[in-house]
Amino acid sequence: MEEKEKEVFEPMPEEAREETEEVREQTPEALESEARRNMLYGMLWCIGGLAFSYSSYYLTEAGGRYVVATGAIVWGALQALKGLGAYLQVKRSLGDAAACKKAIVAAACTAVAIIGLGYASWRMVHAGEVRIVEEEQVYDCPELGLRVTIPAGFSEMETTKQAATETTSANYRLFTGDGARVIVAEGTEDNLAEEVRTPDDIAEFLTEEAERYFDAGIAEGKIVEINGIRMLKHTGDRTQTPEWKTVMYDLVHDGSLITIYYSTLTDASLSEADEFMKNNVELY
């Protein structure tokens, strides 16, 4: 009697199994999913990098350091383009021309949005190239009874006003600079108690505030009188902007607290601060 030869099952070689799994992973559905993922993550990284750069610059005080997330922006853009190319390739292989057109239109719109945000970031990064005003400028704030005259040669004044709310008083701010000096004046309307008449009455509070601002140390802190106006003067340094030297003057006027900052890149220019207060700051 002949014995029938039995077929023996042999396991699939490891290399063959890997090839089968690889083929399975390369299906149009898998490729499309991966392409969509690359586009999404790429756009998120790119837009996130631009937004982070914008926020970093916007939140940095004059003369401070900020971060431009170049790596995230460039890598995200390349990743998104890689995903778009793969997506279009899959759709073309399936003959889906409509999907290709939609993807191209969506990509173009996204690119316009990213370029717009990128341009805004670039404008901020090059904010030092501001227009210098070759004539005297006057900041007049009747709410605070404050008038500040900015000499010629400084940038165009930037002024802001934050309206009062149920819990906060109205706030006003002036900013200008010339590359080597920065002048900031800010005040909060009617935020002091009636008994507070001069900085002497809240000298302890103002000194504590100055210590928080000058976190790298205070070189000088004293009451001075300029043009008959008593004010608390502090000179110090900040760890965030070690190259800048700043003099801060706190004034009290008609129930409002006003602070004026005069910052320079050299110690020698600090002597100009009192002269600026004498000749350019007026309370009325």
Side-chain angles (χ1 to χ4, degrees):
M1 180 181 296
E2 294 185 5
E3 294 185 3
K4 293 184 179 180
E5 185 177 343
K6 296 183 178 180
E7 295 182 357
V8 179
F9 173 78
E10 295 182 2
M12 183 183 297
E14 190 65 27
E15 291 184 2
R17 184 182 298 116
E18 290 178 358
E19 290 178 0
T20 302
E21 292 176 354
E22 184 178 349
V23 170
R24 189 181 305 121
E25 291 176 357
Q26 297 302 313
T27 61
E29 292 79 8
L31 291 173
E32 181 180 341
S33 177
E34 182 181 357
R36 287 178 178 275
R37 188 164 52 249
N38 283 333
M39 284 191 291
L40 175 62
Y41 289 163
M43 286 189 295
L44 289 176
W45 274 103
C46 186
I47 295 174
L50 289 167
F52 175 82
S53 303
Y54 178 92
S55 301
S56 175
Y57 189 90
Y58 182 78
L59 296 175
T60 299
E61 297 187 14
R65 301 178 185 276
Y66 54 89
V67 178
V68 178
T70 307
I73 296 169
V74 174
W75 183 87
L78 293 176
Q79 189 75 358
L81 289 173
K82 176 184 175 181
L84 176 62
Y87 179 83
L88 293 176
Q89 187 175 2
V90 171
K91 290 302 181 182
R92 283 198 196 98
S93 67
L94 297 175
D96 193 345
C100 289
K101 290 180 181 179
K102 289 181 180 178
I104 292 173
V105 171
C109 293
T110 303
V112 169
I114 292 176
I115 291 171
L117 185 56
Y119 177 71
S121 298
W122 179 87
R123 288 280 296 178
M124 285 189 303
V125 170
H126 293 79
E129 302 171 7
V130 295
R131 185 175 73 89
I132 296 299
V133 179
E134 299 300 338
E135 58 187 22
E136 190 176 84
Q137 303 176 82
V138 178
Y139 173 66
D140 199 346
C141 184
E143 293 85 355
L144 297 175
L146 171 69
R147 183 178 293 113
V148 180
T149 303
I150 305 299
F154 279 77
S155 63
E156 189 171 1
M157 294 188 305
E158 298 177 22
T159 61
T160 58
K161 174 183 177 180
Q162 184 176 345
T165 67
E166 294 182 358
T167 57
T168 62
S169 301
N171 182 270
Y172 306 84
R173 191 172 191 271
L174 155 73
F175 173 88
T176 187
D178 66 354
R181 294 172 295 175
V182 170
I183 297 170
V184 177
E186 60 182 357
T188 305
E189 183 181 3
D190 296 329
N191 65 325
L192 300 177
E194 291 184 3
E195 60 270 17
V196 178
R197 302 294 182 182
T198 68
D200 308 71
D201 300 325
I202 52 173
E204 183 177 350
F205 166 76
L206 295 176
T207 298
E208 292 175 354
E209 290 293 302
E211 289 173 348
R212 277 191 283 271
Y213 181 79
F214 293 117
D215 57 346
I218 294 178
E220 178 186 42
K222 62 180 181 180
I223 292 287
V224 298
E225 187 169 316
I226 300 176
N227 289 345
I229 305 171
R230 291 182 65 80
M231 56 190 78
L232 185 56
K233 172 184 176 182
H234 284 95
T235 303
D237 300 284
R238 306 190 68 197
T239 55
Q240 189 178 14
T241 54
E243 66 274 22
W244 288 85
K245 308 297 179 181
T246 301
V247 185
M248 179 171 68
Y249 300 88
D250 286 305
L251 299 72
V252 172
H253 183 55
D254 290 343
S256 299
L257 177 61
I258 301 170
T259 304
I260 297 176
Y261 305 84
Y262 190 98
S263 301
T264 73
L265 287 172
T266 62
D267 288 323
S269 299
L270 286 179
S271 60
E272 301 173 359
D274 283 354
E275 283 298 312
F276 174 81
M277 295 295 294
K278 179 181 178 181
N279 300 320
N280 302 82
V281 177
E282 176 186 356
L283 299 181
Y284 62 89

